[in-house]
Amino acid sequence: MTASLAAPKALLAPVAALLVGVALLMLGNGLFLTLVPLRADLEGFGAAWIGVIGAAYSVGFVAGCYLVPPLVARVGHIRVYAAIAALGAIVPLLHLLALHPAAWVLFRIIIGLCISGLYMVIESWLNGAATRRNRGTVFSAYVAIHLAAVTAGQYLLLLDTPSSSKLFSLATILFALAVIPVCLTRAPSPPLPVKARPDLAKLWRNSQVSVVGCFTNGMANGAVWSLVPVYAKGLGLSVAGIAIFISVAIVGGAVVQYPLGRLSDRLPDRRWLIAAVCAVAAAAGAVLLAADGLPALLVYVAYFFFGAAAFSIYGFSVAHANDHADPEDFVEISAGLLVIFGVGAVAGPLIAAALMEALGPGYLFLFTGVVHGAVALWTFRRTKQRRAIAPEDREDYVPMARTSPNIFAFDPRAEEAEADRDG
């Protein structure tokens, strides 16, 4: 083995158990995110209820950003992780015991809170275990594992049909397995999770484009994650086709992160790229709105470009906000924008589901197209109203996952900001 290959392994060895826990957790969550709307559709819940169920997940997720940190401070990371992982593991089976949409709304709130809390504890642990030498490697590995596991989770749908109980049981098994490596890790005790208490006035003064971008991106992406399995089923795709369809958007979002991020660092104004990717997402949404009757390959390609554009907007919005922020405000502003994204993800599925219920499944992408088109115009307008920051004075773009506010304390840029402040 060459030294170049051995070095990353040596850097990741102290946190390997935590990264295995992340992989298992996201395999289960990736499967469950798609399985729930598919089974709800089979049960005849209707698009409106499926939208409410999707919004409920985001309600729980945002609530977890506020409720979990005080709980960790009271009883410690390991107890909180074990407790909420156990609660999260039983939720998939509860869906089978109460096949009623109102019950599923409650269950999705619970699982959203659990996933948010599990993210926080793991990211706190990784943050505490990472050093200046390996922080960038650990952070990059964490984001890559997160995306790969969510994508792989889609293909677990192929193991059985959504109408059976086996896939729900598999999700439970994966959530339960995620407890083992984390509870047995020898990584040092982590710092407390970040308390996400966004100051909306401060965020708005910092960057209107970032606030609008994160909120509306939450609306669009929340609607897509909640309802695209129903849309894909309406196109006549099989379960295998739905898994591939969803995964191509995730892959699209992943492969463009680095090249577009580097491009955004070099452009005279990062907002030009935000407007451009919003316009691409709107155009791809127009194709997907008219997808019935189009060649299947064209539909898949359109969704790839939709994912490449729509899943990039949040990261560029956060980067733009941090261009205007003082270094010591990096974590606070980024965590606040994540909560704003989550609030948007509550509203989006409700609006999109009402459109789908009234007009048909394809109108999911009428909603996303209008949202993305409006943000593109808003962002272009703002380029005329506020002078851009020179590229050499901006923060470098760093790809990241939308997990918990604690990921921003884990980001290598947070350590650099702290070092600058102490120096």
Side-chain angles (χ1 to χ4, degrees):
M1 180 181 295
T2 66
S4 61
L5 291 176
K9 287 187 177 181
L11 291 173
L12 294 175
V15 296
L18 298 172
L19 295 176
V20 170
V22 169
L24 291 168
L25 178 64
M26 295 321 302
L27 269 174
N29 199 40
L31 166 64
F32 201 46
L33 279 172
T34 306
L35 176 60
V36 166
L38 286 176
R39 181 60 179 265
D41 186 61
L42 289 174
E43 296 293 334
F45 288 178
W49 269 114
I50 295 173
V52 174
I53 291 166
Y57 175 87
S58 297
V59 170
F61 196 95
V62 173
C65 294
Y66 291 92
L67 298 178
V68 173
L71 191 59
V72 170
R74 173 190 263 179
V75 301
H77 289 78
I78 193 66
R79 289 187 178 92
V80 169
Y81 187 90
I84 59 180
L87 177 60
I90 68 172
V91 169
L93 298 181
L94 291 177
H95 283 70
L96 298 174
L97 296 178
L99 291 170
H100 190 280
W104 281 33
V105 170
L106 174 61
F107 300 153
R108 293 303 284 165
I109 291 174
I110 294 171
I111 197 67
L113 190 152
C114 290
I115 294 296
S116 174
L118 294 171
Y119 277 146
M120 279 192 175
V121 173
I122 288 177
E123 288 166 6
S124 292
W125 232 312
L126 288 169
N127 185 29
T131 65
R132 187 177 296 275
R133 178 169 172 260
N134 72 352
R135 181 175 297 273
T137 301
V138 173
F139 183 82
S140 299
Y142 174 74
V143 173
I145 288 170
H146 179 276
L147 290 171
V150 171
T151 304
Q154 308 306 311
Y155 292 92
L156 295 179
L157 289 166
L158 306 184
L159 298 178
D160 209 337
T161 63
S163 59
S164 76
S165 63
K166 290 182 180 178
L167 293 178
F168 287 87
S169 299
L170 178 58
T172 286
I173 291 169
L174 290 168
F175 286 145
L177 285 174
V179 180
I180 298 172
V182 176
C183 289
L184 296 180
T185 183
R186 293 188 293 176
S189 181
L192 291 178
V194 171
K195 293 182 180 179
R197 300 192 181 279
D199 182 338
L200 295 182
K202 183 177 181 179
L203 288 170
W204 186 255
R205 289 193 303 269
N206 170 273
S207 171
Q208 295 180 20
V209 166
S210 296
V211 172
V212 172
C214 287
F215 178 74
T216 54
N217 190 233
M219 292 178 68
N221 287 3
V224 167
W225 276 113
S226 301
L227 296 162
V228 80
V230 178
Y231 165 85
K233 186 170 180 249
L235 292 179
L237 296 181
S238 65
V239 173
I242 293 171
I244 296 170
F245 185 72
I246 293 172
S247 65
V248 297
I250 302 173
V251 171
V255 299
V256 303
Q257 288 288 309
Y258 185 81
L260 287 186
R262 296 282 72 79
L263 175 62
S264 78
D265 290 338
R266 290 165 173 77
L267 287 173
D269 191 337
R270 205 189 298 269
R271 291 172 295 183
W272 293 356
L273 189 59
I274 296 174
V277 294
C278 285
V280 170
V287 175
L288 293 165
L289 171 62
D292 195 15
L294 293 178
L297 179 60
L298 178 59
V299 177
Y300 281 97
V301 170
Y303 198 47
F304 175 89
F305 279 101
F306 177 88
F311 296 164
S312 302
I313 296 167
Y314 170 79
F316 295 144
S317 298
V318 172
H320 178 63
N322 285 314
D323 291 340
H324 291 274
D326 293 329
E328 61 268 21
D329 293 331
F330 168 74
V331 174
E332 177 189 355
I333 285 176
S334 301
L337 290 173
L338 177 61
V339 173
I340 287 173
F341 176 94
V343 173
V346 174
L350 302 177
I351 300 170
L355 279 173
M356 293 173 71
E357 187 86 358
L359 301 172
Y363 284 83
L364 166 63
F365 288 101
L366 174 66
F367 170 71
T368 66
V370 169
V371 167
H372 287 132
V375 177
L377 293 174
W378 165 269
T379 303
F380 180 76
R381 175 175 173 267
R382 288 295 297 168
T383 64
K384 307 300 180 183
Q385 296 175 332
R386 188 183 193 185
R387 187 169 59 87
I389 293 177
E392 61 269 18
D393 296 328
R394 297 199 302 244
E395 293 287 341
D396 290 341
Y397 174 80
V398 175
M400 63 179 61
R402 292 185 302 273
T403 51
S404 84
N406 218 61
I407 195 172
F408 302 107
F410 176 33
D411 190 316
R413 292 172 295 181
E415 187 175 56
E416 293 169 6
E418 184 177 353
D420 291 342
R421 184 173 66 250
D422 294 342

